[in-house]
Amino acid sequence: MMGPAHSLSGAAAWLGVGAAAAAAGHTMPWPVLVVGALICAGAALAPDLDHKSATISRAFGPISRALCGIVDKLSYAVYKATRSSSDPRRSGGHRTLTHTWLWAVLIGAGTSAAAVTGGRWAVLAILFIHLVLAVEGLLWRAARVSSDVLVWLLGATSAWILAGILDQPGQGADWLFTSPGQEYLWLGLPIILGALVHDIGDALTVSGCPILWPLPIAGKRWYPLGPPKFMRFRAGSWIELKVLMPVFMLLGGVGGAAALNFI
């Protein structure tokens, strides 16, 4: 799928988690719901770090473009080193390492560790990165016609304000993990969810997605999971734009309303 659909699916997924939490009698504080949805929307773009033409490659100018090139080469090297004789030969690393469950878990765990050990500035950096990505994904048309600096300023300002709200007692810094020193440990959860939702979205397309690597399936280490071929679509096709994106918006709205106990 394309960047906007990935971001919408990520936001909808976290709002769905909020709805499930409310149904179980553990309503999320509203800042956790909002920040988690934005982080998940941004994280749903991150697996495409292995693609130089992806939305994420434009998010931070030369830095993100260079990082995408490095991740592409790393992913390709891992693919070559671990492919079985049944896996096809490739010329690049797109839809390999960063499109797996293992990558999602490692990135989420690393983010949580950074948030806990790095203090406020680490939290602000995590929020800034993912809020910029959320703007690039959810507001792609506006982001493309505006300057990068304006998007970065919006991300930095929003990160500062939202962190200040979360730090207030009962507003969510210690949501889910309540022991002293575990503030913001939950930040890794929307990042894991966003990456997995991205992978599931890509699995619906023609090429499929090797989500379960390194588990072997049908003799392949990089088996491209997906539904039957007649149910798949091409990225950017009318099914994605006219059907899936409106569905994600509807599900997100319903999930948000349920998470806040409005319905």
Side-chain angles (χ1 to χ4, degrees), residues 1 6 43-51 54 56 71-72 75 90 93-105 107 194-203 205 207-214 221-225:
M1 290 197 298
H6 280 310
L45 297 180
D48 277 344
L49 271 172
D50 60 5
H51 195 323
I56 192 173
V71 173
D72 178 31
S75 299
R90 302 176 59 100
H94 183 46
R95 287 201 186 183
T96 55
L97 178 62
T98 62
H99 287 68
T100 65
W101 71 271
L102 183 58
W103 175 272
V105 171
I107 292 299
L196 292 177
V197 167
H198 177 111
D199 296 344
I200 293 170
D202 278 353
T205 63
S207 300
C209 187
I211 303 173
L212 295 183
W213 178 85
R221 288 284 183 185
W222 298 90
Y223 185 84
L225 285 177

Side-chain angles (χ1 to χ4, degrees), residues 51-67:
H51 195 323
K52 295 179 181 179
S53 299
T55 302
I56 192 173
S57 71
R58 300 187 298 269
F60 300 98
I63 296 175
S64 54
R65 284 194 291 273
L67 181 60

Side-chain angles (χ1 to χ4, degrees), residues 11-12 14-20 22-23 27-28 30 33-34 249-263:
W14 186 259
L15 293 171
V17 171
T27 302
M28 286 182 185
W30 72 264
L33 185 68
V34 171
M249 294 176 68
L250 177 61
L251 292 177
V254 172
L260 296 172
N261 292 314
F262 290 153
I263 57 174

